Amino acid sequence: MAQVFLIGSITADLKLRQSEKKVSYIRFGISERIEYKGGGGRQDYQVWAFGFEAERLAKMNVKKGSLFWVSGELRLVDDLRPDFTGTVKVLKIIFKDGGYAAKKILVQDEPLGCPHLDGEREPLPE
């Protein structure tokens, strides 16, 4: 099984539901921004949380557009097209953990917790 960790934007407000067997679940989309040479784009994932994890997500009051991190088991599955004319392959994540991600963009020379220091430095030994 493949494990995944990603940071992306939530595509819709989360809504807690119950299955016919009375199991709590949440299904939501998350969109990851990807960049590659000559361009960029996005990768969409479908995230499923069940039981305790679903109830915990519901209490977090996650809204559409929130920057969120997710970890879990990655699966490639068939899903119905929105117009019900067939199936399409979808990347599905079985949720294990997640939370809000910081929006602050770190400067390469100033990592979190390590402020930039000014002043004279001693020369390095040769």
Side-chain angles (χ1 to χ4, degrees), residues 4-122:
V4 66
F5 177 89
L6 70 95
I7 298 173
S9 296
I10 302 295
T11 60
D13 292 348
L14 274 60
K15 184 176 178 184
L16 185 64
R17 301 172 189 253
Q18 279 205 339
S19 69
E20 291 178 5
K21 295 182 179 180
K22 305 293 183 206
V23 175
S24 300
Y25 74 94
I26 289 180
R27 173 186 167 189
F28 63 95
I30 189 167
S31 182
E32 174 188 34
R33 186 173 169 213
I34 56 173
E35 295 192 23
Y36 48 88
K37 197 171 193 174
R42 70 176 212 206
Q43 177 66 55
D44 295 320
Y45 299 85
Q46 195 179 87
V47 182
W48 288 77
F50 300 95
F52 172 75
E53 286 88 4
E55 292 167 9
R56 185 169 60 92
L57 279 172
K59 290 177 184 175
M60 293 175 75
N61 199 25
V62 180
K63 300 290 184 190
K64 179 179 180 178
S66 297
L67 191 59
F68 207 75
W69 67 270
V70 170
S71 69
E73 180 184 332
L74 182 65
R75 298 179 183 173
L76 182 63
V77 298
D78 291 323
D79 197 12
L80 283 175
R81 292 182 182 271
D83 59 4
F84 302 104
T85 60
T87 60
V88 63
K89 294 286 185 189
V90 174
L91 289 169
K92 178 179 177 179
I93 298 172
I94 305 301
F95 181 87
K96 296 294 179 202
D97 200 8
Y100 287 101
K103 289 191 177 189
K104 180 180 178 184
I105 298 173
L106 302 176
V107 177
Q108 185 175 356
D109 295 336
E110 297 182 31
L112 188 62
C114 300
H116 180 73
L117 300 174
D118 289 331
E120 295 183 24
R121 297 183 185 172
E122 292 185 25

